[in-house]
Amino acid sequence: DGGITQSPKYLFRKEGQNVTLSCEQNLNHDAMYWYRQDPGQGLRLIYYSQIVNDFQKGDIAEGYSVSREKKESFPLTVTSAQKNPTAFYLCASSIDREMGTGELFFGEGSRLTVL
Amino acid sequence: GESVGLHLPTLSVQEGDNSIINCAYSNSASDYFIWYKQESGKGPQFIIDIRSNMDKRQGQRVTVLLNKTVKHLSLQIAATQPGDSAVYFCAESPTLFFGNEKLTFGTGTRLTIIP
């Protein structure tokens, strides 16, 4: 089945540690996104990538890093510089249409808790 | 800044009844609107979208209404079923001619279907 796979589903981290969240898609989508979801807030964009080997900062990129070495993979690293990393992280992809937005396909999320 | 929000954070509906979930937006230049459904512990799923040049769009058991005069969006779910219990949130984009990185997400309404 085609879709987006995020791992791990749950992750615990000690303060000062970097962690990497995996996101893989087999939908052959060009664009991939990382969002953060906090209680009572809408999804906030961390990073996005429209094409392999290129990515852009979203609204809350500080303390995060990404790479896009392969079309199907877009891992997110939460660094120790992120002051409030405990959150639910969502990866998404979409067909990068030339003229506009497209349906976002989301993974099932990764819940990160900093101890 | 611009905001997208919801009138009610929770909504309980008897199974079989119709439900209406509302969303207000503040950017009068918004051109594209989307509704997502998010079940507990899962990623959001696309439900339906609408362009600003439309007032109404129907899908399977769902209808989205757009009132640009008062900047209001609603999602109607007909003949609700237990599987409709979820958080529903809207998203808007200032233009169709940008990618999904321009989407602004609302905080969500939790819909509970009472058997």
Side-chain angles (χ1 to χ4, degrees):
Chain A
D1 284 19
I4 298 182
T5 302
Q6 289 187 240
S7 64
K9 192 169 179 66
Y10 299 96
L11 185 61
F12 297 89
R13 186 195 95 173
K14 293 181 179 179
E15 283 191 22
Q17 288 181 333
N18 293 353
V19 293
T20 297
L21 308 180
S22 170
C23 179
E24 302 279 330
Q25 56 102 354
N26 59 4
L27 299 167
N28 199 34
H29 286 170
D30 290 312
M32 297 188 74
Y33 307 81
W34 273 106
Y35 291 93
R36 172 179 171 139
Q37 188 173 37
D38 295 285
Q41 296 192 40
L43 298 182
R44 292 184 290 168
L45 182 64
I46 303 172
Y47 267 99
Y48 64 98
S49 169
Q50 304 283 25
I51 196 169
V52 175
N53 291 323
D54 186 53
F55 48 83
Q56 305 296 329
K57 292 182 179 180
D59 301 319
I60 56 166
E62 184 175 351
Y64 300 98
S65 65
V66 293
S67 63
R68 187 84 187 277
E69 296 176 1
K70 299 184 295 183
K71 185 175 184 177
E72 58 270 24
S73 180
F74 191 41
L76 173 74
T77 297
V78 184
T79 74
S80 57
Q82 168 51 234
K83 298 305 178 187
N84 186 22
T86 295
F88 190 55
Y89 292 89
L90 287 161
C91 180
S93 70
S94 69
I95 297 171
D96 185 24
R97 299 186 304 184
E98 278 188 323
M99 291 179 65
T101 56
E103 177 183 345
L104 282 168
F105 292 79
F106 286 89
E108 297 220 326
S110 294
R111 185 167 298 279
L112 172 63
T113 302
V114 174
L115 304 173
Chain B
E2 301 296 347
S3 66
V4 176
L6 295 167
H7 292 310
L8 297 172
T10 61
L11 178 65
S12 295
V13 174
Q14 203 73 35
E15 182 179 353
D17 288 351
N18 299 336
S19 67
I20 299 176
I21 300 169
N22 297 303
C23 181
Y25 63 95
S26 56
N27 184 358
S28 58
S30 292
D31 184 52
Y32 180 65
F33 304 86
I34 313 167
W35 281 100
Y36 282 93
K37 171 186 179 183
Q38 186 174 20
E39 297 179 45
S40 181
K42 295 188 176 182
Q45 291 178 289
F46 173 90
I47 302 174
I48 192 167
D49 60 2
I50 189 169
R51 288 283 312 279
S52 61
N53 60 355
M54 301 172 69
D55 297 322
K56 178 179 180 179
R57 192 172 185 206
Q58 288 184 295
Q60 188 176 14
R61 285 201 304 118
V62 295
T63 301
V64 55
L65 299 177
L66 176 62
N67 186 331
K68 295 180 286 294
T69 302
V70 296
K71 291 182 283 188
H72 184 268
L73 189 71
S74 68
L75 177 70
Q76 300 179 358
I77 305 174
T80 54
Q81 303 167 358
D84 293 330
S85 292
V87 172
Y88 292 81
F89 55 87
C90 62
E92 60 90 9
S93 179
T95 173
L96 184 61
F97 299 103
F98 284 102
N100 288 309
E101 65 271 14
K102 295 297 183 182
L103 283 170
T104 299
F105 291 87
T107 54
T109 291
R110 181 173 298 281
L111 175 65
T112 301
I113 306 304
I114 304 167

